[in-house]
Every structure is written in structure tokens, then in C-alpha cells.
Amino acid sequence: MLHIDTHQVFQSMANFGASDAWSGQFVGLWPDAKRNAMADLLFSQELDNAGNPKGIGLSLWRFNLGAGSAEQGRKSGIRDSWRRAPTFWDGSGYDWDKLDSQVWLARAAQKRGADQLLMFLNSPPVHLTRNGRAYTSDKTESNIAPENYPAFATYLADVIEGMRAKNVEVDYVSPFNEPQWDWAEGGQEGNPYWNQDIFEISKAIDSVFQDRKIATTIDIAEAAQIDYLFKTGKKPGRGDQIEAFFSRESPYYLGNLKSMGHAISGHSYFTTSPASVRVKKRERLRNKLHEVPDLDYWMSEYCILGANAGEIEGDKRDLGMTSALYLAQVIHSDLVDAQASAWHWWTAISAYDYKDGLIYIDKKEQDGNFYESKMLWVLGNYSRFIRPGFKRVAIAQRSGNKAEQLKYSAYTNPDQTQLVLVLINDSAKEKSLSLSLPENFAMQSFKTYTTSATEDLQFKRVEAQQIALPAESVMTIVIYN
């Protein structure tokens, strides 16, 4: 029996999201029926006539503000044209129509209820970098010189105001991406940063935002993997970022900036396998976070990358449940073990033969086919039902046979009139369990939404107290009091 205790409350959930990189610069201008169908899959909160969700209801969208490598073409040094990214700057001023494809997706998200927008940059714009490119030539320093920090801050403010003029409000800006990596290979836009760089640039951004009365919140630090949030590792001056930016004793303390959010972000890459390592590292992160009162953690980027201790390869698409069940385990651990208050997938729409997409497309700029993955729907088991403001609460198995292969977490809405449970069964056998509900939730019929090899958030009303969790599935249970 699973016992839910709504009096024991953990983190408050901010959002679930994904990004438009890199396909967004094309698919937002695909034929209207196809781009709207993909937007529905990602953002819709509607139900069909049978009660099944039409989409996964993401609550945040990540907008990739490119550095201008797309305009440079082959001269950018980035070999894959789809990994080059455009910017609004045209060399002498701003052209606010240049990113219309991405702007269309941002508007489509907002129209369907994803009302939080985060704008992120992999590199400063090329007209402000040391080498005029969107990746560095020198691994020993950042590709933007200190004398250009004020211009970089002004550029961000200009873009935020330009987006507002197009009726797209930027709630968060993330100026730094995976600052621990060197970004000198030309595989994509990227820029290394040292903690001192982040400190100085963040101060410059805050100063401009305050002067121009821009309410956008700064998000840092998008650590390349979560280890760098709680230890230095092999990157002196680029790690231990919770201590660096949120300890009042640190020379790089940023917690007093008016534009700075009281959260720190990191990526779950290279820390998810085996399971014992996944849990241990997230517990270390959680303990470090607790040293700073009320500091939130956002897991701001993940896809299945690398070899994962032999458990699953990032290479090759998998539209089925193998990748989806692995993803579910990672989400569960990030939310429960690390107590993340936000969870963001990497690229929502992928053109690659890799486990990096929720929706896959043909690699064609103007039109093509698109393909749903089970990873899309398993993320939806969380994102569609755990809405901003929900709080994670305690859930534990109190009696009956221990179901070692089950994972479970529980969430309530702010006034505790709705209870959401997410259950993961990655075994080859169906599992049965019963619920012990809080006093204000009567034992009555409730709704289940199941993702399996044959189901995509399939709705079913359950009358019995006993729950049958299908083999190799993820089930969301929604209960009202």
C-alpha cells in the first residue's frame, strides 16, 4: 500500500519545459497544419472526446537566441548548418523579423498555455566575441572580452524589448550555457566562462535591466553537469557554483542582484548511470542546496547522451518505451533525489538519429514528416498534470510486498484539492498496489493516464481501490477531493 502524506511538503514546482534548438528555426515556417500539430503535441492542455490528452502541456518554452553563426554560413566554422543559429542583429542594427520561425513557436506555446518563456544563449553574438565566431579559439579564456560586457548586457535588453514589441514576453534569460566546456571544436555555438566572468557579466546585465526597468529574471548557471554545482572537479575557477554565486562569503556572490532569480540551474548529463551513482550525486546536490536558504534547483537540460555505463546508448533514435522508461527514471530522480523544482528536456524537435528529441522530423528546412516518440508522452506523464505551483509531497510504501522496480512520487495543487501521483513500472510484469489517501481525499473513483508500448497518456477511470500498473509503463493518477 502506498501512503500519501500531504503534510510533509518538499519543493514547489515551477515548470516543465523543452527548447526550440535547433530545428525551431525551420519548423516554425513549415506548412500550417504540420507546425500546429507539433505545437499541439508539445503544449496543448486539451482533451479529446475520449478524455485523452492531445499534448503534454509544457509550461515553459526555451527560445534559442543564436549568436549569428547562421548568417555567417560556412565561414562560421560550424560544419552542420542546422547547428548554426541566427540572431536579430544584422550587422548594423536589428531586424526583428529574422527569427520569425522561432517567434511563431513561442507564440504557439503561449497560445496553448505555456506562458513561461526562457531565452537562452550558447554564445554571445559574434559581433561581440573576441574572434568574431560563435565558439572560442582559445581554451584559456572566455570568447568575450571584459570591455564588451556592457554591450552584451545592452544587447540582451534590446532583444527582450524587441520580443515584447512582437507580443512575446521573455520571463527568464539564461546568458551562459555549460560554461565548464571549452567549446573550441566548432560542433555548435558555445562559449566557456569562468565564475568571475559570470559574476561580472551578471552584474552588467542587472545594471542595464534595472536602468531600463526590465523585469526579466536572470537564470544561472546551466552547469554542464550537476557535479559542478557542488564541487570544482577538473575545472578550477568554473565549478562549485552554488558556493560561488549564492554564499554571502564568496567574492562572486550574486544573490543580492535585483534581477537574479533565487535558483541555480544545471544539466543532468553524464550523471544518470548506474542508478546508485544517479541517486548519490543528486543527494549530494540536494544537501549542498540546503546550505542556502530557499535556493531552488532547475534541471534545465537533458537528453539521453553517451554510453550511460552500458545501460543505454545515446546514439540512434528510439521511438519506443526503452528510452522512455530510462527517461522516466531520470526525471524521477531529479525531482525526488535532487528536489528539482523545474525539469527541461533538451531539444523538443530533433532531425538527428539520436535520443535527443521528443518529436522527430525529416531533416528538411521547408517541409517533411514528423514522428512522435514515447519519450514525449512519458514526459507528459509529469508535465501535463504537475502544473506550476504544485508541491511535491511525501509518498511511501507502508505495507504489502515491496515492489523494488516501482518508482513513485506525489504532488498537490496549492489548495490541496487535487492530488497527482506518477508511478513507473519498468519491469516486464504488471504490478498491483493500493493507496492510502489523506483524510481530505475520499476513496472514490479517480482518473489514470498511462503511457506504454500501446498507449499515449491513455485515459481510464478507475473505480476500485486496487491499481493495476501495466508492465513497462508510466501511469499518472489524478485524484480530486
Side-chain angles (χ1 to χ4, degrees), residues 271-289:
T271 61
T272 60
S273 293
S276 59
V277 171
R278 180 172 67 234
V279 172
K280 182 178 180 180
K281 290 194 173 188
R282 280 150 185 78
E283 288 176 343
R284 286 191 64 184
L285 171 57
R286 182 186 69 213
N287 292 336
K288 185 66 178 181
L289 288 162

Side-chain angles (χ1 to χ4, degrees), residues 407-420:
K407 296 288 189 299
Y408 33 79
S409 56
Y411 311 82
T412 62
N413 64 344
D415 59 6
Q416 292 202 357
T417 59
Q418 185 177 346
L419 181 63
V420 174

Side-chain angles (χ1 to χ4, degrees), residues 201-362:
I201 295 171
S202 295
K203 286 197 304 177
I205 296 170
D206 178 72
S207 177
V208 171
F209 281 13
Q210 294 306 307
D211 286 346
R212 292 171 60 168
K213 295 180 170 56
I214 291 174
T216 301
T217 297
I218 303 170
D219 171 43
I220 57 171
E222 301 267 10
Q225 56 190 65
I226 63 173
D227 310 65
Y228 295 118
L229 293 175
F230 57 79
K231 67 179 183 179
T232 297
K234 297 180 180 179
K235 298 291 181 177
R238 293 198 263 180
D240 204 8
Q241 292 187 306
I242 293 173
E243 181 76 18
F245 301 132
F246 289 99
S247 170
R248 292 182 180 274
E249 288 73 39
S250 169
Y252 305 132
Y253 177 64
L254 291 171
N256 58 344
L257 298 186
K258 292 182 179 179
S259 300
M260 184 64 60
H262 197 60
I264 195 162
S265 59
H267 298 174
S268 277
Y269 299 124
F270 309 116
T271 61
T272 60
S273 293
S276 59
V277 171
R278 180 172 67 234
V279 172
K280 182 178 180 180
K281 290 194 173 188
R282 280 150 185 78
E283 288 176 343
R284 286 191 64 184
L285 171 57
R286 182 186 69 213
N287 292 336
K288 185 66 178 181
L289 288 162
H290 286 173
E291 294 179 9
V292 181
D294 302 318
L295 182 65
D296 289 332
Y297 167 57
W298 284 27
M299 201 306 294
S300 56
E301 187 180 311
Y302 179 73
C303 70
I304 299 176
L305 184 67
N308 299 291
E311 294 179 346
I312 189 169
E313 286 283 346
D315 200 21
K316 302 297 181 184
R317 290 185 189 181
D318 173 23
L319 303 182
M321 286 302 295
T322 299
S323 296
L325 288 168
Y326 185 86
L327 169 60
Q329 299 279 354
V330 174
I331 298 174
H332 172 86
S333 191
D334 284 332
L335 299 184
V336 174
D337 300 318
Q339 296 186 6
S341 58
W343 202 94
H344 303 165
W345 180 258
W346 165 222
T347 183
I349 304 170
S350 173
Y352 293 95
D353 189 17
Y354 209 84
K355 296 178 180 66
D356 61 349
L358 302 175
I359 299 169
Y360 287 90
I361 60 169
D362 298 330

Side-chain angles (χ1 to χ4, degrees), residues 41-42 56 357-359 372-381:
L41 288 172
L42 293 169
I56 68 169
L358 302 175
I359 299 169
E372 303 170 26
S373 76
K374 290 294 180 179
M375 290 191 293
L376 169 81
W377 295 108
V378 159
L379 176 55
N381 279 96

